[in-house]
Amino acid sequence: MKLFWMKNKVLLATLAAMLALGGLFWGGLRLFEGGRMQDVMVRTSFAEAEATATSQPAGNADAPAQPAATAAPSPVPATQAEDLQWMVVEREWRYNSVIPSINDSVPDDNRSWKEGDKVDDELAAKARKAAVDVFDWGMNVQVSVDDMTVTRYVDEAGYRENILRMTNEKKEYVCVLKEKDLSLVAADSVAYHAKAQIDAASDASDVAQKLLFTQTKAGVYDRGGSYGRVRQVTFAIALADGRYLTLAYTDGGLHGIKVHPNEAAMEESVCFLSDIRHHEAFVKQVAVENFEAGDLQHIVEGDMTPDQAELLYRDFLSAANSRASERREAEHLTLEQYDYNLKEGEISYFLDKSGYRENYYHIENRFATMDIAARTGYIVRAACSGLYNLDPALNLLGIEYDHWGEQEYKDYMKHVIDATFGPDSYDSIDVNAVADDLICTMDVDMKDGRWYEFGFTKGRLMYIEHYAAPRVSVPGWGADSLYVNTITGEEFYQW
C-alpha cells in the first residue's frame, strides 16, 4: 500500500498545500477588488498580441521561412479562488520532474538526472531562442527570454544524452531540448489559449510540421483526459520517421508537447528509450525465481545457521506476541500447548539458483509462516496468525479506530523492530493507511534502504511485507522487481 503514496506523494503533498493556500488566495482576491482585480488574475495566456515570426524553430536552421503567426485568441482569466488554486496544483505537478508531465499521466521519473556544468553563453542564447520558437510556433504562446534560465542536465547512469531545461522564476513554462542539436524533447506552458473547438488531427499535423518539419501518418490517438471543471485531453500522432508526438490540451488550448522515440515510449509518456519500463517487447525480468531444497546439515558458507535463524524468529515472536512464558501464564497453558521453540519439520532450507537472490530459511507453524534471508537475515515475507502483545503499553487490541496508527502502534512497532533487527537498524516508523474500520498498515524505513510494511487487523499483526529498495513495487526479493531495458541494457527496479 505504500506504493500509492510513493507514486502520488508529490500530488498529495501539493493538494494539502493547496488547502492552506486557499485562504491566501481569497484574501488576495479581496485586496485587489475593483480596478486592480485584473492584476491578480492568473491568466490562461499572456496578453493578446500580434506576433510576426522572423526565425525558424529549433534544430532546423536551413528550413524555409514560416508564415507570420496569427493573433492569439482572447486570454481567459481565472476569476475564482478555486481556479487559482487549481493552477498552482497543476503547475507544481507538471514541473516537479526534470522533464515536465504535460498531463495527468505518471511516467517513470528518471532519478539519475543531475545538474551539469554551467551552459556557456553562446549555447544558452541559442537554447533560449529555440525555446521561444517552440512556444511561439507550436502553441502561439509568447515567452520572454529576460528571466529564462538554461540548465544542463546529465544522466549519471550514462544511458541518456545531455538535455537543456529552460524555465522562468515563476515556473510559467518548461522547455526541454537535447543539447547536441537543440531538438525538442518536451515543452509545457500554463499560459495556454482556450479555444471553442479543436480539430485534433489537423492541429497535431500542423504542430508537427511547424516544430519538427516531418510528415505525420494518418490517424490521431485519443490518449484520454478529464472532463471536470476544465476539459483536459491528450492526443498522440505517429510521425513518418517512427517517432510519436503527444499533444495536451486544456479547454481546447494546446499547452503541452512531448516527442517520443517510438510507440512504446509514447504509451508510457516518456521521451527516451531508456525510460521505457513496462512494455513487454522491450523490458524483461533479469532473473526469474529459482530455488531448490537444501540440507539443514550442510549450510552454505556465509549463511546463518539454523539455530541463528530460529533465534531471529523467536526474538520476533517474543516481541510481537509476548514471550511464550507470559502467554502460557496468562492463558493457563502448558509448555507443550504453547512454546515458541521450533519443532521438527517446522524449519527448512532453500538454495537460490538464480544468482540474484539469497538462500533462505522457511519457517511454518501455528504462529507464523516466515521466510528469512540466510545471509542478511532480513524477513523476506511473513504471514502471522493475529499476533498481539499482552503488555498494556504494547497491546493494541483496545485502541479506538480513530487512534490507529498513532503512538501506541509506533511503540509496538519499535519494540518489535528493536528486538528483531536491533535499535539502530531503522530510520523511521510511520503510519501508512487506516481503512474500513478494520485495517491499519505501518511502514518502517530501514537504514540500508529497505522498508517493511506491517499489516494489522483490529490491532492484531497479520502480515509483514519486505521491499528491497525505496522504488520497488513487488514485496519479497529485490530481484522480483529487477528488470532490464533490452534496448539500452539498463537494469532498474520496476514500480
Side-chain angles (χ1 to χ4, degrees), residues 177-484:
L177 309 173
K178 292 182 180 180
E179 180 181 349
K180 67 178 182 181
D181 57 7
L182 299 183
S183 60
L184 179 63
V185 175
D188 186 88
S189 170
V190 296
Y192 64 88
H193 293 282
K195 297 181 181 179
Q197 292 181 338
I198 283 293
D199 182 336
S202 175
D203 195 69
S205 180
D206 183 53
V207 173
Q209 288 285 345
K210 287 179 178 179
L211 290 181
L212 306 177
F213 293 93
T214 185
Q215 298 295 320
T216 59
K217 294 183 178 179
V220 170
Y221 298 80
D222 186 338
R223 300 288 292 157
S226 59
Y227 303 90
R229 189 189 62 77
V230 294
R231 181 177 184 271
Q232 295 181 298
V233 64
T234 303
F235 297 103
I237 188 166
L239 306 181
D241 58 10
R243 293 178 298 168
Y244 279 75
L245 192 66
T246 296
L247 307 172
Y249 298 84
T250 296
D251 285 340
L254 175 63
H255 63 77
I257 304 172
K258 274 190 174 182
V259 181
H260 312 282
N262 62 16
E263 185 175 11
M266 178 273 291
E267 290 175 352
E268 297 189 20
S269 298
V270 297
C271 299
F272 289 92
L273 293 174
S274 282
D275 291 329
I276 298 174
R277 290 291 185 257
H278 300 280
H279 201 287
E280 293 182 355
F282 305 107
V283 174
K284 305 294 182 185
Q285 189 175 13
V286 173
V288 298
E289 185 175 293
N290 183 15
F291 290 100
E292 66 177 34
D295 185 351
L296 287 171
Q297 304 304 315
H298 297 87
I299 304 302
V300 174
E301 184 178 357
D303 286 354
M304 65 173 64
T305 66
D307 288 343
Q308 290 172 319
E310 181 178 355
L311 178 60
L312 187 150
Y313 156 83
R314 287 203 313 270
D315 286 343
F316 160 77
L317 205 58
S318 295
N321 207 46
S322 302
R323 292 184 301 171
S325 58
E326 294 173 346
R327 296 302 290 262
R328 286 198 303 269
E329 181 179 347
E331 299 178 17
H332 307 290
L333 300 173
T334 67
L335 179 63
E336 290 74 19
Q337 291 173 311
Y338 206 97
D339 180 29
Y340 290 160
N341 291 318
L342 293 177
K343 300 171 179 59
E344 185 176 355
E346 291 185 346
I347 182 171
S348 50
Y349 181 55
F350 289 88
L351 302 174
D352 169 51
K353 296 301 179 181
S354 72
Y356 280 80
R357 298 163 180 83
E358 297 183 41
N359 304 331
Y360 74 96
Y361 288 96
H362 178 76
I363 295 173
E364 187 170 351
N365 57 23
R366 58 177 292 196
F367 303 110
T369 298
M370 178 181 294
D371 293 338
I372 300 174
R375 191 169 296 267
T376 56
Y378 62 83
I379 297 174
V380 182
R381 59 181 66 88
C384 307
S385 57
L387 308 181
Y388 66 95
N389 196 302
L390 289 169
D391 187 329
L394 301 170
N395 193 335
L396 306 178
L397 299 185
I399 306 300
E400 295 183 0
Y401 178 71
D402 289 344
H403 298 288
W404 287 5
E406 295 182 2
Q407 192 59 48
E408 295 88 351
Y409 274 77
K410 293 180 180 180
D411 291 343
Y412 175 89
M413 292 287 296
K414 182 179 185 304
H415 181 68
V416 173
I417 297 297
D418 285 353
T420 308
F421 301 112
D424 297 323
S425 61
Y426 61 94
D427 286 324
S428 64
I429 298 173
D430 296 294
V431 62
N432 175 24
V434 177
D436 302 329
D437 203 21
L438 181 69
I439 297 168
C440 177
T441 58
M442 303 289 292
D443 291 337
V444 184
D445 290 322
M446 309 300 285
K447 287 188 179 296
D448 61 3
R450 306 177 190 275
W451 60 278
Y452 288 94
E453 178 175 292
F454 281 57
F456 297 84
T457 298
K458 293 189 174 182
R460 296 175 180 266
L461 180 60
M462 305 304 296
Y463 70 84
I464 300 174
E465 290 180 344
H466 161 266
Y467 296 82
R471 287 170 63 84
V472 168
S473 62
V474 179
W477 301 102
D480 295 344
S481 296
L482 187 62
Y483 284 76
V484 59

Side-chain angles (χ1 to χ4, degrees), residues 58-80:
N60 297 278
D62 299 327
Q66 294 295 313
T70 57
S74 297
V76 181
T79 59
Q80 301 294 326

Side-chain angles (χ1 to χ4, degrees), residues 22-33 36-37 40 84:
L24 296 177
F25 280 125
W26 278 115
L29 286 172
R30 294 190 184 98
L31 287 174
F32 288 87
E33 288 177 349
R36 300 191 63 192
M37 184 65 179
V40 295
L84 300 174

Side-chain angles (χ1 to χ4, degrees), residues 117-145:
D117 296 335
K118 183 180 182 296
V119 180
D120 66 75
D121 292 342
E122 182 179 359
L123 178 58
K126 292 180 179 178
R128 289 188 180 95
K129 176 181 177 298
V132 169
D133 287 341
V134 167
F135 290 113
D136 186 7
W137 292 110
M139 304 178 197
N140 200 13
V141 168
Q142 286 70 52
V143 299
S144 171
V145 300

